[in-house]
Amino acid sequence: DGIRDVAVTGVQTCALPIMMQSKLKLVAGTSEEAKRTQMELYEMVQRSRIPLADTAQLYNRMVIPMMKIGKTSGETMQAVESMGLALKLSGATAQEASSVMLQFSQSMNAGRLNGAEFNAVAEGAPIVLRAIEAELRRTGQWGENTTETLKKMGSEGKISAEIMAGALLNALPKFRADFESLPLTVDGAVQ
């Protein structure tokens, strides 16, 4: 995959593989919207110190299912940031983060979190499960206060894309605040 830099106001800002840029253009609709989305992604990863390519890929995978449930591209961007911060806060390795992002996006496309996707999130980003529990409480859909109940709800297909999206969007302020308290690591600075 070739890499192309995007220049904005004469300053070279970020590079994404050409295929990723093409996918952004497909979901954005126009070259201008794709460039704007790419710049938003770049600014987000600079703040959150998460890999650009993984973040862009997660955005591409989530934007259509998010729109199907009535969310905007801006809300998709926030959900992607929330997931990235959750992975950082959970201490996920790059491989775990990649797996969780893939499994989570697959569950969004399927319309529910269950099976292997549930297990991947539980292992790689348990903080997301806590956010889902909070969302279930907020929406009045939560019964008993145990992880076993959440796992049962997942196995029954009761953790919908709407719940997952709401969980990420509503947890974002807390994830941002918690992330601000993390020390800057060499790995984070390189990102």
Side-chain angles (χ1 to χ4, degrees), residues 1-92:
D1 229 6
I3 301 227
R4 180 182 305 151
D5 293 331
V6 172
V8 175
T9 63
V11 177
Q12 186 173 326
T13 55
C14 64
L16 274 179
I18 293 170
M19 281 303 287
M20 191 64 62
Q21 289 182 32
S22 297
K23 288 178 182 179
L24 274 175
K25 185 178 176 188
L26 282 174
V27 297
T30 67
S31 293
E32 286 305 312
E33 185 65 21
K35 286 179 186 177
R36 186 190 62 73
T37 300
Q38 186 172 344
M39 286 309 306
E40 287 179 24
L41 286 167
Y42 178 74
E43 290 166 4
M44 179 207 327
V45 301
Q46 290 298 300
R47 286 189 312 272
S48 57
R49 304 184 300 264
I50 54 180
L52 178 60
D54 289 344
T55 304
Q57 189 170 36
L58 181 60
Y59 177 86
N60 280 333
R61 289 176 176 162
M62 285 185 56
V63 71
I64 291 173
M66 290 285 283
M67 287 182 175
K68 284 182 181 177
I69 61 171
K71 303 298 182 192
T72 66
S73 60
E75 288 170 314
T76 301
M77 190 72 66
Q78 291 175 335
V80 168
E81 178 182 3
S82 190
M83 177 57 80
L85 292 174
L87 290 164
K88 280 289 194 186
L89 292 167
S90 295

